[in-house]
Amino acid sequence: MLWSAFVFGLAQFAAAKPLASKRWATAEPAVKHAWLETPGGWEYHSAPSADHLLELRIGLKQDKIDELIKALYEVSDPVHHKYGQHLSKEEVDALVAPHPDSIEAVESWLQYHDIDPANAHFRSGGGEWITLHIPVGKAEKMLDTKYGVYYNSKSDEYIVRTMSYSLPQELHSHIDVITPTTYFGTMRAMRSTSFIQDAHPITALNSASFAAEISPLAVPASCGSTVTPACLRAMYNTTNYVPKATATNKLGIAGYLEEFANDADLQTFFSRFRTDAAGAKLTHIQLNGGLNDQTDPGVEANLDVRKSLLSYGWTGLGVTLSCLNHRTDTGGSPPFIADSATTSNTNEPYLDWLNFVLNQTTVPQTFTTSYGDDEQTVPVDYATSVCNLFAQLGARGASIMFSSGDEGVGAGSCRTNDGTNKVLFQPAFPASCPFVTAVGGTTRVNPEVGISFSGGGFSRYFSQPSYQTTAVSTFLTGLGTKFAGLYNAGGRAYPDVSAASNGFQVVISGRTSSVGGTSASSPTVAAIVSLLNDFRISEGKAPLGFLNPLIYSTASTGFNDIVSGSNPGCGQTGFTAGAGWDPVTGWGTPDFLRLQALVG
């Protein structure tokens, strides 16, 4: 049953109110989620106006989510008879639709608070998400909480959040999460997965030398510190591949927070590094106030686009940059207006973007996103809900790459925020979600080694999926008791694969700069996956979809094993790369020709 069941006449709404009042008037609130202390980096600033409008998102329990995940694994397992039989939007929507009892309970609760469900601002296709515009004062009554305006000096932004929220006990079995509440993470605070590596950008390059092809049999040492398209094509064996399914195969890149991929810079990039691709264009999609200011390019967006393009044997594949540039309505003052007519964007990552993509009839076959945060800073209910949205996308045949992070096993003190103040390795989210492919980083060539900042470890939220049990067990046996107690040996382990992440040449405002980070490695792997999808589609086969069951089984030999390097953090030396899978580089870096043979 979808949210169309919420559409009632005014008479029905009025008649239901007395019954709802009896039901909820005496219901005792029970805490849904609470922080013991203000999340790191944030400080209380002031109380928001009671009239300030919030975009309140209610995520209902998905009635058949277990069936969806079962179907996801079936269509993603290369030895299952359903492999490649991805689900349609309608099939996914049916599996994630809330149970009629959940719809009835939430409907009654909303009516009790004088909210007509028919006035929802947004309803997801499966009906498991509903968005309402309501004032802070009403949200505080509904959630038995007090909101505050919080400030982050590092990102210079203000957000409206709460330290805890509660729901009647009955609703705990019907509602997964409500936002904005206790998740303080924002895209602006998470813009740390790439970084400029040289203080003085390179302004004059020899186009011929940088655009020239390099033999994959003799990748020059310079590619270990100055990474160009020719380097990556040689390193990962895509040099001679020419895409064929260019009308069908698409690669999607998520951009945020006024990070624009500049079209002029793209053409300059081609002229310097890929002369055969001159004129290739990028499709821009703006969401939720997203912008496309061609006069103000961004490092992150330019990096993602260039790295996704430069590994192609030919740039005929369609690349879409979806810009979800969350608005900050302020220049140093709290982002709200004290009236009941203007809503503020919640600045919460992923939800707007995922709901937009999932509401499309068709979706790109490959996605890459270069953002992340410490898992412990994301409320588990929020992380689980977002992770399940990635499962929906994977079930529909999309391969989803995420940077594993640039902090090794954890940055800073690595102290926990649960009141115990323990020092533990800190996994990253969404890399820790078992339904995405996390991409770590390498450096150098002949051979590549794991780079020191490559994020890797074990989730404390998500249990270890069966597809990686054998590989992870082998690693843990070799590790022995080292770091015992600092990580969760039973958690989802990451990264899954890796790629070069040091010295990438990127054009920004017409000048070439060197950029590093796993923000480089994720779109590089995504480009190669997109080429593999192109090959399969051109052969009349389904795209690869959710990659991990394939990577950890029949395709594991399609990667260059990285056997040295470590990812220190938290005052520790970190894990060490070795033969087979490891939490520094995963299975290693992709070899397109070997993978092409394995997935064909």
Side-chain angles (χ1 to χ4, degrees), residues 96-425:
V96 300
H99 190 278
D101 290 348
S102 296
I103 294 175
E104 186 278 328
V106 173
E107 167 195 319
S108 173
W109 177 63
L110 291 175
Q111 290 171 340
Y112 173 70
H113 288 284
D114 297 312
I115 298 172
D116 185 348
N119 294 329
H121 179 67
F122 168 80
R123 304 180 185 93
S124 62
E128 79 278 26
W129 286 96
I130 180 171
T131 300
L132 304 166
H133 287 175
I134 63 174
V136 164
K138 181 176 285 293
E140 290 179 337
K141 291 180 181 179
M142 294 171 64
L143 306 178
D144 190 39
T145 190
K146 284 290 184 182
Y147 278 88
V149 176
Y150 291 84
Y151 176 67
N152 186 308
S153 59
K154 182 178 179 180
S155 61
D156 191 29
E157 65 181 323
Y158 297 83
I159 58 174
V160 178
R161 296 293 191 273
T162 180
M163 289 292 291
S164 69
Y165 74 104
S166 300
L167 294 170
Q169 187 64 58
E170 179 184 346
L171 290 180
H172 282 237
S173 61
H174 298 297
I175 293 177
D176 278 330
V177 65
I178 295 181
T179 73
T181 50
T182 55
Y183 182 26
F184 281 64
T186 70
M187 279 298 177
R188 186 173 300 280
M190 291 158 52
R191 293 173 63 188
S192 58
T193 54
S194 68
F195 44 88
I196 298 290
Q197 293 183 301
D198 54 354
H200 303 288
I202 303 168
T203 57
L205 295 174
N206 184 318
S207 298
S209 63
F210 279 92
E213 295 299 348
I214 296 171
S215 169
L217 299 178
V219 179
S222 60
C223 288
S225 58
T226 304
V227 180
T228 67
C231 288
L232 288 185
R233 294 172 73 193
M235 291 165 65
Y236 303 137
N237 256 334
T238 68
T239 300
N240 297 319
Y241 184 78
V242 179
K244 304 176 184 67
T246 56
T248 303
N249 191 34
K250 304 295 178 185
L251 189 155
I253 304 170
Y256 300 91
L257 288 169
E258 302 174 5
E259 282 284 328
F260 316 114
N262 185 269
D263 295 327
D265 280 348
L266 179 61
Q267 296 309 314
T268 301
F269 179 85
F270 287 150
S271 70
R272 293 177 183 173
F273 299 105
R274 287 299 308 274
T275 55
D276 58 333
K281 295 182 179 179
L282 171 73
T283 299
H284 299 265
I285 299 175
Q286 281 75 53
L287 316 178
N288 194 32
L291 304 174
N292 181 21
D293 185 352
Q294 291 296 301
T295 67
D296 186 19
V299 173
E300 189 73 56
N302 272 3
L303 173 65
D304 284 347
V305 172
R306 304 304 181 270
K307 299 314 122 187
S308 294
L309 289 172
L310 58 74
S311 294
Y312 290 161
W314 181 258
T315 56
L317 292 108
V319 179
T320 298
L321 176 69
S322 54
C323 293
L324 181 67
N325 295 321
H326 291 293
R327 297 182 299 274
T328 41
D329 311 319
T330 140
S333 58
F336 61 86
I337 299 173
D339 62 27
S340 58
T342 305
T343 59
S344 69
N345 191 279
T346 66
N347 274 347
E348 287 188 342
Y350 314 123
L351 286 181
D352 285 328
W353 183 83
L354 279 165
N355 277 314
F356 170 83
V357 172
L358 288 167
N359 270 342
Q360 307 308 304
T361 303
T362 60
V363 298
Q365 293 86 352
T366 312
F367 287 97
T368 178
T369 307
S370 298
Y371 295 86
D373 208 348
D374 285 350
E375 185 184 70
Q376 71 166 352
T377 66
V378 185
V380 66
D381 53 2
Y382 185 96
T384 302
S385 294
V386 169
C387 193
N388 287 342
L389 288 171
F390 288 126
Q392 292 184 45
L393 197 53
R396 290 181 58 182
S399 303
I400 309 163
M401 263 59 64
F402 261 92
S403 302
S404 70
D406 294 349
E407 299 172 344
V409 295
S413 68
C414 294
R415 295 192 179 276
T416 59
N417 61 358
D418 59 1
T420 63
N421 213 30
K422 293 180 181 177
V423 174
L424 298 176
F425 290 173

Side-chain angles (χ1 to χ4, degrees), residues 426-500:
Q426 294 300 331
F429 179 83
S432 65
C433 170
F435 307 130
V436 306
T437 299
V439 184
T442 64
T443 187
R444 304 180 191 172
V445 292
N446 306 319
E448 293 178 79
V449 302
I451 201 163
S452 61
F453 57 68
S454 182
F458 300 79
S459 173
R460 291 194 184 84
Y461 285 179
F462 304 103
S463 60
Q464 195 171 105
S466 60
Y467 62 71
Q468 64 174 187
T469 300
T470 299
V472 175
S473 295
T474 300
F475 172 81
L476 292 176
T477 298
L479 184 66
T481 59
K482 189 176 183 180
F483 305 133
L486 291 176
Y487 68 95
N488 174 27
R492 184 290 204 252
Y494 74 97
D496 303 297
V497 296
S498 55

